[in-house]
Amino acid sequence: MKNFDLFEAMEPSGRERVPLGEAAFVLRGFALPYVDALQPALAALLEAAPFRHMVTPGGFRMSVALSNCGRLGWTSDRRGYRYTGIDPDSGRPWPAMPDVFMSLAREAAAEAGFAAFTPDACLMNRYLPGTRLSLHQDRNERDMGAPIVSVSLGIAAMFQFGGPERTDKTQRVPLFHGDVAVWGGPDRLRYHGILPLKEAHHPLLGAQRINITFRKAG
């Protein structure tokens, strides 16, 4: 699999399905038709449950800010990583997942070969220039048969997609505004991450990247 240089790669103008593995793909531009509806829905969610920087079990403040919507939300503190139905900041349930979020998640999953995907958790991350997400597996979910559906909005990022071991060689694939990465099946527990974001500006979202990740957690 070819590695891409973020500085050389041009943002795609149309849809393309880039294979990353047997059951892993980047769907170029798949979310673009949804953007006009995603933006106000996202703003409403963040008004109800604002972005915050959580603490890792080791006591480190996460550089990537996050929030959640849906029946379950991913949280982290000194007690560990887990899903909860209650926003620890507000003491209230996480806001409901908007219809446009659910439609996008289901249709992207189906496009990648995962029919009947119904997420119950949606993690929203905000990356600023210089922030990154180290290699990790998504393994806090109970349903490992369901895929991960990850939507990129805003400035571009370099996605790392590795193997079942942290030390496995990684592919590097740029993710642009509107791209959707989907992985599941034999690729479900591959390590993945985001390299530090470069300084950039997006006409709609400014100097930030918003990542919306759908999972079947319960």
Side-chain angles (χ1 to χ4, degrees), residues 19-154:
L20 303 182
E22 180 182 343
F25 304 91
V26 172
L27 309 177
R28 294 286 185 211
F30 191 90
L32 291 177
Y34 297 83
V35 168
D36 286 348
L38 286 174
Q39 285 188 288
L42 180 63
L45 289 172
L46 295 175
E47 189 170 328
F51 280 129
R52 76 289 305 266
H53 294 273
M54 291 188 177
V55 175
T56 69
F60 297 99
R61 178 179 181 269
M62 298 178 66
S63 65
V64 176
L66 63 86
S67 186
N68 294 278
C69 68
R71 186 173 67 84
L72 295 171
W74 185 89
T75 62
S76 173
D77 57 25
R78 295 300 295 264
R79 292 177 293 166
Y81 304 121
R82 63 195 180 279
Y83 283 94
T84 174
I86 300 298
D87 179 347
D89 280 15
S90 69
R92 299 189 299 268
W94 297 104
M97 194 181 305
D99 289 344
V100 63
F101 277 43
M102 182 67 75
S103 295
L104 173 55
R106 286 175 167 171
E107 292 179 27
E111 179 72 15
F114 297 96
F117 174 56
T118 303
D120 57 9
C122 174
L123 172 63
M124 300 170 286
N125 286 332
R126 182 186 65 197
Y127 295 77
L128 301 178
T131 58
R132 57 169 295 175
L133 190 62
S134 59
L135 287 174
H136 66 283
Q137 294 172 304
D138 290 338
R139 57 183 313 129
N140 298 124
E141 299 75 29
R142 291 183 181 177
D143 187 353
M144 292 293 173
I148 303 294
V149 176
S150 180
V151 180
S152 292
L153 301 172

Side-chain angles (χ1 to χ4, degrees), residues 141-214:
E141 299 75 29
R142 291 183 181 177
D143 187 353
M144 292 293 173
I148 303 294
V149 176
S150 180
V151 180
S152 292
L153 301 172
I155 63 177
M158 187 65 81
F159 183 53
Q160 292 181 288
F161 195 66
E165 303 295 333
R166 187 185 297 274
T167 55
D168 289 339
K169 184 178 180 180
T170 62
Q171 305 172 50
R172 293 185 177 187
V173 182
L175 296 177
F176 300 104
H177 178 70
D179 287 349
V180 183
V182 183
W183 64 96
D187 298 313
R188 174 63 176 75
L189 288 176
R190 288 214 195 185
Y191 276 86
H192 56 283
I194 295 289
L195 290 177
L197 263 66
K198 304 296 184 183
E199 292 285 347
H201 184 275
H202 190 272
L204 290 179
L205 294 176
Q208 63 178 340
R209 172 182 184 254
I210 303 297
N211 179 226
I212 304 171
T213 303
F214 300 95

